[in-house]
Amino acid sequence: MSGGRSDKRRAILDGALTEFGRDGYARASIDAIAAAAGVSTRTIYAHFGNKAGLFESVIQESATRVADTQIAIVERHLGKVVHLEADLEAFGLELTEPMTGFRDHFSLVRHVNADLDHIPPAAIEAWQDAGPRRVVGALADRLRQLADRGLLALGVPAENDPDAAAKLAASHLMLLVQGAVPFHHGVGANREPDRESMVQAGVRVFLRGYLPAPGSGSRRPAAG
Amino acid sequence: MSGGRSDKRRAILDGALTEFGRDGYARASIDAIAAAAGVSTRTIYAHFGNKAGLFESVIQESATRVADTQIAIVERHLGKVVHLEADLEAFGLELTEPMTGFRDHFSLVRHVNADLDHIPPAAIEAWQDAGPRRVVGALADRLRQLADRGLLALGVPAENDPDAAAKLAASHLMLLVQGAVPFHHGVGANREPDRESMVQAGVRVFLRGYLPAPGSGSRRPAAG
DNA sequence: GCCGAAGTACAACCAACGTTTTACTATTTG
DNA sequence: CAAATAGTAAAACGTTGGTTGTACTTCGGC
């Protein structure tokens, strides 16, 4: 019918993302994952060895997909900037959308951030490299490009990492824009409908922080 | 020696905070908590009924203590403001300090935020009311006071919640300032020593966003 | 000195879970 | 056809963990 042989692997990854995302590593059971994937538990062990191996595959694969999506959004809105504020707002709006679309993934990420002590460092590095660092890097590239055009002032770079200023600004933008979306059903006392205004506010704050002082070629935002 | 009878309860709460913070609810075991508290497991059930009851007591108690500390920091630095930027920086610096001092608590909070689906809503509300909402409220009060003096421009308030603008600004400040401290040993690619400069950067961004336009009594920061 | 509250040590119960084993089926490939 | 490959179903193993029951100890207050 649907597949030649092995969409089993895909089904397992999907089911595991759902279960791990909802319940976290410890609570999620192999049996539940097998049921969600429509697969026998033995097949999971055949593909991924053990629970830990499955988990690493799940987060790395999911992070890659999400990062690809987010980088595409970065490029779409910040590749050719015509009106900085409007483009940043559109960027932020579309960036916070996947957080509902990829609900399971971001739920999983929260679990990972809480469980860092129980995850092998190699797995963490692999995940960060495949996901968040790639996004921040892409965003930093675009911000530096805008700074070169004189549209932004990113501040003085550090000696060791010349991109530190751009990465910091990128982190700030992500923080301000993603802080707009509540973790869950209204934990931060924020309601859904004001996502747009929350993003606008975040962008406005970002711009106030990183707009070059009027009448300066490309200076740092302020004196220490 | 040290106590008449029942510091047992305190010892249990402390030990449980350590264990829950390191391992999360599911992984933390009653036996380990009992051992950490120097107490028999039976005593834990005598005091708190069951694991869930213990957990709720732990987070509520801990959140209250941390919030008290943070509110004191808010008042100390933002009660009598003389030099806004310097005071905000000192505030941010001292606010991010407890995150290492109360390491277990913030670790626990990350677990809670990831485990929201598995925690009774009543417990979540109680925790939010006892902790984060009180801090944001206190900070918002001070920001509104600064806005009244014309030192800040918080934006237009919403109809339903007149304090929404102040609370949003307070959330932004917390976000920018606390985003400076890495979750763990360098997950965000940030190193410890630059906490000071991270806080400075965050405050600078905040001020650029919420400083009143020069030569305006008390306007909103920008047009929509 | 006695009572009762609080605590302890220890065993036991029961359920859940990760993992392996075994026996069996279906499908592809040479 | 034969052999390998991938998958399934179900039981079993060993461990861990939450929870309870029970008998024993402390110790402060009357």
Side-chain angles (χ1 to χ4, degrees):
Chain A
M1 258 320 158
S2 54
R5 182 143 52 217
S6 189
D7 338 70
K8 301 291 179 179
R9 187 187 172 88
R10 245 280 52 86
I12 293 171
L13 286 173
D14 290 345
L17 178 60
T18 301
E19 297 298 311
F20 281 135
R22 166 155 29 83
D23 295 344
Y25 182 84
R27 246 189 281 252
S29 80
I30 296 283
D31 281 355
I33 294 173
V39 143
S40 87
T41 69
R42 206 62 191 76
T43 304
I44 295 180
Y45 287 98
H47 275 292
F48 301 97
N50 54 25
K51 196 183 182 183
L54 171 60
F55 184 80
E56 295 187 17
S57 298
V58 166
I59 184 159
Q60 193 153 345
E61 207 263 353
S62 180
T64 301
R65 279 198 302 182
V66 171
D68 286 344
T69 302
Q70 290 182 325
I71 289 174
I73 295 174
V74 169
E75 301 303 328
R76 181 164 342 125
H77 291 283
L78 270 29
K80 303 281 182 190
V81 168
V82 293
H83 184 331
L84 183 55
E85 182 168 14
D87 287 336
L88 281 177
E89 281 177 10
F91 158 72
L93 220 49
E94 203 175 346
L95 188 77
T96 53
E97 228 169 62
M99 298 185 78
T100 70
F102 294 72
R103 180 180 300 271
D104 293 335
H105 170 81
F106 288 100
S107 187
L108 180 62
V109 167
R110 284 195 292 280
H111 279 287
V112 168
N113 275 330
D115 268 339
L116 285 177
D117 291 331
H118 304 287
I119 303 177
I124 297 178
E125 287 302 308
W127 157 58
Q128 287 276 327
D129 284 341
R133 284 209 259 266
R134 271 175 59 221
V135 178
V136 168
L139 182 55
D141 284 346
R142 290 307 177 181
L143 293 186
R144 192 153 10 82
Q145 174 180 318
L146 291 170
D148 290 344
R149 288 172 54 191
L151 294 178
L152 288 178
L154 297 183
V156 44
E159 315 100 12
N160 42 3
D161 189 353
D163 295 342
K167 281 188 197 160
L168 175 59
S171 298
H172 272 158
L173 180 54
M174 296 281 285
L175 217 50
L176 282 164
V177 142
Q178 288 189 316
V181 51
F183 276 162
H184 201 245
H185 349 292
V187 167
N190 305 327
R191 288 290 162 269
E192 256 294 351
D194 32 14
R195 204 185 89 224
E196 181 169 347
S197 56
M198 298 285 292
V199 168
Q200 285 179 355
V203 166
R204 217 152 53 211
V205 171
F206 174 81
L207 280 183
R208 296 270 177 144
Y210 288 101
L211 238 31
S216 69
S218 47
R219 290 278 185 280
R220 56 206 175 93
Chain B
M1 202 47 103
S2 55
R5 181 139 56 212
S6 189
D7 339 71
K8 301 291 179 179
R9 188 187 171 88
R10 248 275 58 84
I12 294 171
L13 286 172
D14 289 346
L17 178 59
T18 302
E19 297 298 311
F20 281 137
R22 167 155 29 83
D23 296 345
Y25 182 83
R27 247 188 279 251
S29 80
I30 295 284
D31 281 355
I33 293 173
V39 141
S40 87
T41 69
R42 210 64 187 73
T43 303
I44 295 181
Y45 287 98
H47 275 291
F48 301 96
N50 55 25
K51 196 184 182 183
L54 171 60
F55 184 80
E56 294 187 17
S57 297
V58 166
I59 183 159
Q60 193 154 345
E61 208 263 356
S62 180
T64 301
R65 280 198 302 181
V66 171
D68 286 344
T69 302
Q70 291 183 325
I71 289 174
I73 295 174
V74 169
E75 300 304 328
R76 180 165 341 127
H77 291 284
L78 270 29
K80 302 283 182 189
V81 169
V82 294
H83 185 331
L84 183 56
E85 183 168 13
D87 288 335
L88 281 176
E89 282 178 9
F91 159 72
L93 221 48
E94 203 175 348
L95 188 77
T96 53
E97 231 168 60
M99 300 186 77
T100 70
F102 294 75
R103 182 180 299 272
D104 294 334
H105 170 81
F106 288 100
S107 189
L108 179 62
V109 168
R110 284 195 291 281
H111 280 287
V112 169
N113 275 330
D115 268 340
L116 284 179
D117 291 330
H118 303 288
I119 302 177
I124 297 178
E125 287 303 307
W127 156 58
Q128 287 276 326
D129 284 341
R133 284 209 260 265
R134 270 176 59 221
V135 178
V136 168
L139 182 56
D141 284 347
R142 290 307 178 181
L143 293 185
R144 194 152 11 83
Q145 173 179 319
L146 291 170
D148 289 345
R149 288 174 53 191
L151 294 177
L152 287 177
L154 297 183
V156 43
E159 315 100 11
N160 43 1
D161 189 353
D163 295 340
K167 281 188 196 158
L168 176 59
S171 298
H172 272 158
L173 181 53
M174 296 282 285
L175 217 51
L176 282 164
V177 143
Q178 288 189 317
V181 50
F183 276 161
H184 201 243
H185 348 292
V187 166
N190 306 326
R191 288 291 162 267
E192 256 294 349
D194 33 14
R195 203 185 89 225
E196 181 168 348
S197 55
M198 297 286 290
V199 168
Q200 284 179 356
V203 166
R204 218 153 52 211
V205 171
F206 173 80
L207 280 183
R208 296 269 175 146
Y210 287 102
L211 238 31
S216 69
S218 47
R219 289 278 184 281
R220 56 210 175 93

